């Protein structure tokens, strides 16, 4: 991009700032094609004033006020973070639900994917043997058993994609009756119902743990439970796990992919390591893909409370009705209280790396993050680890932490996750495919075997939000159908399950 002509991005007609695209930034005196001239040096990804902004005047990006000018800002100068005064966070107790829905776009008919049909009517994007746990005590033994299953049993059952041990640090030494314990317990129970396990259920338990395996198996009378304290030591435990696992493998191996409507598909979205480009390249492109998915009948879930909290006044009008709006505000209020208990405040976000990338404050970061959800109406708001009952665009109120959000969305039943990143992460999940979208071309070139889609081409004019959005949409369908694999799948890069446990550990 160094040789490239000077480029800037203006997101919304109302914006009075633009973002410098060129790698290494642009010097004072740079004249853009439309005659706009920089009066000072501006780093890449940072903002330049399109007009003179008086002290106290609105700084507008994404068509929204992201802050107020701390001093008079001359036209053409760099607006660094010290010039942007942070607006108050929208008060969830004062916001009033006033619906403002985009005119619905025409449904997209005829899109399907090749999935595994489950007995309960849902469909999977993988055919996995999942072995669940009711407590961390069994994890070491299960690891050894899983290694043997992979080596000795899986080759006999070629239609089964893999075996996954669902290990976590919950189950004992925790206050399972605390009000907030509902979050990890619900998450574990819903993980056990994940559609990629074909309706099969096997749990390895110790025996004496606080959270008994029935929490996971109560809806499934066919479930197999192995209690290690009932077995005759280590070797017998491993043999018993292999024996139970093989019975399930025989059944899973009979399954084949079949044509399923896109309405069977639930796609999770999240971001990590954002920069100023995330909100103009990767996130809007994913938002475009999200709109296509919703139009084709699929369910799309976006999350990360701390990433949307400062833009909640923009999300609220997108709620389908007053009840959904109330649920959205309740979710924000719950998280405000949770953070307050930990004596944390929102100025801790964005991270220094975000600021270096040009994000002045949490408002600007939130506006960029919200773009992922696209323009659809929010049909339902769910708590962490809950299952949606509606289709279409869903807000799942999870933490922003990559692995915690990932685990919560898995519990909520996603079949695939799309992950946007500016700084880069190798992140992946064992239960569902993860597609990684970079906000900048520099990252995609540096990590050609980790980044699946380069949305940085939007900033340089080599692609459009629509073209990259369409590409992501088609890639989702191909990967969900098992026709292609994301890089994280090819390398089997799997992060641990990290449950969200807001309740005490004892
Ligand atoms: Ca995240």
């Amino acid at each position: 991009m160094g040789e490239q002509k000077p480029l800037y991005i203006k997101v919304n007609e109302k914006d009075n700032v633009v973002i410098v695209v060129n790698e290494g930034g642009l010097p004072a005196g740079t004249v853009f094609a439309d005659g706009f001239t920089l009066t000072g040096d501006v780093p890449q990804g940072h903002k330049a004033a399109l007009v003179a902004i008086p002290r106290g005047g609105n700084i507008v990006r994404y068509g929204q006020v992201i802050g107020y000018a701390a001093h008079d800002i001359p036209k053409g100068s760099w607006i660094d973070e010290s010039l942007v005064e942070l607006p108050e966070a929208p008060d969830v107790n004062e916001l009033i639900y006033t619906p403002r829905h985009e005119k619905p776009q025409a449904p997209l008919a005829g899109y399907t994917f090749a999935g595994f049909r489950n007995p309960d009517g849902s469909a999977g994007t993988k055919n996995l043997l999942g072995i669940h746990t009711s407590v961390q005590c069994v994890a070491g033994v299960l690891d050894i058993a899983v290694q043997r299953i992979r080596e000795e049993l899986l080759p006999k059952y070629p239609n089964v994609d893999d075996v996954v041990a669902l290990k976590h640090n919950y189950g004992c030494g925790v206050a399972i009756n605390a009000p907030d314990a509902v979050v990890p317990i619900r998450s574990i129970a819903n993980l056990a119902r994940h559609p990629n396990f074909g309706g099969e259920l096997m749990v390895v338990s110790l025996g004496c743990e606080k959270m008994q395996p029935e929490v996971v198996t109560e809806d499934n009378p066919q479930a197999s439970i192995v209690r290690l304290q009932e077995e005759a030591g280590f070797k017998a435990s491993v043999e018993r796990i292999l024996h139970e696992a093989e019975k399930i493998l025989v059944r899973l191996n009979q399954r084949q992919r079949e044509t399923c409507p896109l309405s069977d598909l639930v796609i999770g979205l999240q971001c990590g390591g954002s920069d100023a480009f995330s909100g103009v390249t990767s996130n809007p492109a994913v938002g475009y893909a999200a709109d296509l998915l919703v139009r084709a009948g699929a369910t799309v879930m976006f999350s990360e409370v701390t990433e949307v909290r400062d833009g909640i006044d923009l999300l609220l009008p997108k709620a389908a009705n007053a009840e959904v709006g109330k649920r959205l505000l309740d979710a924000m209020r719950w998280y405000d209280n949770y953070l307050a208990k930990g004596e944390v405040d929102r100025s801790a976000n964005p991270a220094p790396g975000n600021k270096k990338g040009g994000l002045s404050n949490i408002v600007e970061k939130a506006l960029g993050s919200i773009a992922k959800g696209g323009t659809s109406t929010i049909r339902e708001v769910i708590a962490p680890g809950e299952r949606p009952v509606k289709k279409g665009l869903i807000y799942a109120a999870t933490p922003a932490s990559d692995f915690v959000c990932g685990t919560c969305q898995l519990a909520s039943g996603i079949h695939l996750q799309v992950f946007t990143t500016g700084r880069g992460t190798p992140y992946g999940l064992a239960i569902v495919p993860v597609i990684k979208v970079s906000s900048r071309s520099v990252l995609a070139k540096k990590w050609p075997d980790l980044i699946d889609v380069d949305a940085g081409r939007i900033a340089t004019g080599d692609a459009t939000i629509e073209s990259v959005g369409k590409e992501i949409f088609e890639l989702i369908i191909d990967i969900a159908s098992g026709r292609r694999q994301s890089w994280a799948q090819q390398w089997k890069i799997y992060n641990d399950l990290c449950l969200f446990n807001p309740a005490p550990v004892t």
Side-chain angles (χ1 to χ4, degrees):
M1 284 203 305
E3 301 297 313
Q4 206 167 25
K5 62 182 193 308
L7 282 176
Y8 69 68
I9 297 175
K10 183 180 173 185
V11 184
N12 186 286
E13 278 177 24
K14 294 181 197 149
D15 292 1
N16 59 7
V17 301
V18 295
I19 305 300
V20 166
V21 170
N22 304 71
E23 200 180 338
L26 291 172
T30 299
V31 182
F32 293 90
D34 62 357
F36 174 59
T37 306
L38 295 181
T39 56
D41 298 351
V42 182
Q44 185 195 27
H46 283 244
K47 293 177 283 300
L50 207 48
V51 295
I53 305 172
R55 179 164 178 245
N58 294 343
I59 298 172
V60 182
R61 195 185 167 194
Y62 299 107
Q64 305 295 332
V65 176
I66 61 163
Y68 308 105
H71 306 286
D72 288 343
I73 301 175
K75 179 180 178 178
S77 65
W78 174 27
I79 305 178
D80 81 10
E81 64 183 76
S82 69
L83 289 173
V84 187
E85 285 178 350
L86 185 64
E88 288 287 308
D91 185 341
V92 291
N93 296 316
E94 287 183 5
L95 288 174
I96 292 163
Y97 171 68
T98 313
R100 198 167 59 242
H101 301 153
E102 301 264 335
K103 194 167 148 274
Q105 293 173 282
L108 293 174
Y111 282 96
T112 59
F113 75 106
F116 295 96
R117 181 63 66 194
N118 293 323
D120 69 355
S122 67
T125 51
K126 284 187 171 187
N127 187 26
L128 297 172
L129 166 62
I131 306 183
H132 302 265
T133 58
S134 51
V135 68
Q136 170 64 213
C137 309
V138 304
V141 171
L142 179 56
D143 273 339
I144 292 164
V146 162
Q147 199 179 334
R148 281 193 52 195
I149 292 169
R150 205 167 272 139
E151 287 166 7
E152 299 168 28
L153 300 183
L154 271 187
K156 294 196 279 177
Y157 304 99
N159 291 337
V160 182
D161 290 324
D162 205 353
V163 49
V164 178
L166 288 96
K167 298 172 297 176
H168 53 76
N169 64 353
Y170 203 72
C172 215
V174 284
I176 64 166
N177 295 321
D180 290 336
V182 66
V183 177
I185 294 172
R186 169 175 67 213
S187 300
I188 290 167
N190 281 338
L191 280 166
R193 298 167 53 212
H194 194 280
N196 283 0
F197 301 131
E200 301 286 351
L201 182 53
M202 172 173 171
V203 188
V204 178
S205 151
L206 181 63
C208 62
E209 63 271 27
K210 266 189 183 174
M211 191 190 76
Q212 285 292 300
E214 285 72 16
V215 163
V216 174
T217 61
E218 63 185 352
D219 296 336
N220 191 331
Q222 319 294 333
S224 142
I225 303 176
V226 178
R227 288 187 176 83
L228 299 192
Q229 286 170 344
E230 291 175 5
E231 303 298 327
F234 165 71
K235 285 185 191 166
S237 294
V238 172
E239 290 303 331
R240 181 70 203 289
I241 293 170
L242 262 66
H243 177 74
E244 293 299 319
E246 187 153 23
K247 287 195 251 175
I248 297 176
L249 285 171
V250 169
R251 294 194 291 266
L252 289 176
N253 197 50
Q254 290 163 3
R255 288 152 49 89
Q256 304 275 351
R257 287 186 188 268
E258 56 188 85
T259 302
C260 302
L262 241 51
S263 55
D264 285 331
L265 211 50
V266 183
I267 304 299
L269 312 176
Q270 81 150 316
C271 52
S274 300
D275 63 8
F277 287 108
S278 302
V280 290
T281 59
S282 52
N283 291 353
V286 168
Y288 190 86
D291 284 349
L292 294 177
L293 286 162
V294 169
R295 289 170 64 194
T299 297
V300 175
M301 195 178 287
F302 71 116
S303 292
E304 302 179 286
V305 173
T306 39
E307 302 273 331
V308 306
R309 174 65 183 85
D310 276 75
I312 195 61
D313 51 327
L314 300 174
L315 278 188
L316 184 60
K318 293 174 69 177
N321 55 46
E323 179 56 30
V324 174
K326 180 180 178 300
R327 289 266 295 171
L328 189 59
L329 293 177
D330 287 347
M332 298 298 121
R333 197 176 290 116
W334 186 94
Y335 217 89
D336 282 353
N337 292 337
Y338 170 69
L339 290 181
K341 266 192 271 178
E343 298 180 23
V344 179
D345 93 33
R346 69 190 181 119
S347 67
N349 201 332
N354 295 142
K355 288 185 178 176
K356 214 176 160 200
L359 290 175
S360 294
N361 60 33
I362 184 64
V363 182
E364 189 176 12
K365 190 175 172 182
L367 292 170
S369 177
I370 283 173
K372 285 199 303 294
T375 63
S376 303
T377 298
I378 299 170
R379 295 289 160 196
E380 189 179 5
V381 173
I382 57 173
E386 247 180 12
R387 281 290 182 90
V389 293
K390 295 266 168 59
K391 294 193 187 293
L393 185 64
I394 308 285
Y395 183 72
T398 78
S401 162
D402 296 350
F403 6 91
V404 178
C405 170
T407 304
C408 290
Q409 286 194 354
L410 287 171
S412 298
I414 59 162
H415 291 98
L416 182 152
Q417 197 180 50
V418 180
F419 191 104
T420 67
T421 182
R423 307 298 302 267
T425 167
Y427 175 87
L429 297 168
I431 303 174
V432 303
V434 173
I435 295 173
K436 289 200 288 292
V437 182
S438 77
S439 70
R440 295 173 305 142
S441 296
V442 177
L443 175 65
K445 286 183 185 122
K446 187 169 144 192
W447 279 12
D449 57 0
L450 285 169
I451 299 297
D452 299 291
V453 179
D454 172 19
R457 293 170 293 151
I458 295 166
T460 53
D462 297 316
T464 62
I465 287 171
E466 293 78 8
S467 69
V468 177
K470 191 103 198 300
E471 190 182 323
I472 294 168
F473 173 70
E474 283 162 1
L475 186 60
I476 287 170
I477 294 174
D478 277 352
I479 288 180
S481 303
R483 292 192 285 268
R484 288 169 73 182
Q485 289 201 319
S486 69
W487 285 114
Q489 281 180 284
Q490 287 192 40
W491 303 129
K492 293 185 184 290
I493 301 171
Y494 300 149
N495 281 97
D496 291 338
L497 288 179
C498 298
L499 291 170
F500 180 36
N501 178 18
V505 175
T506 57

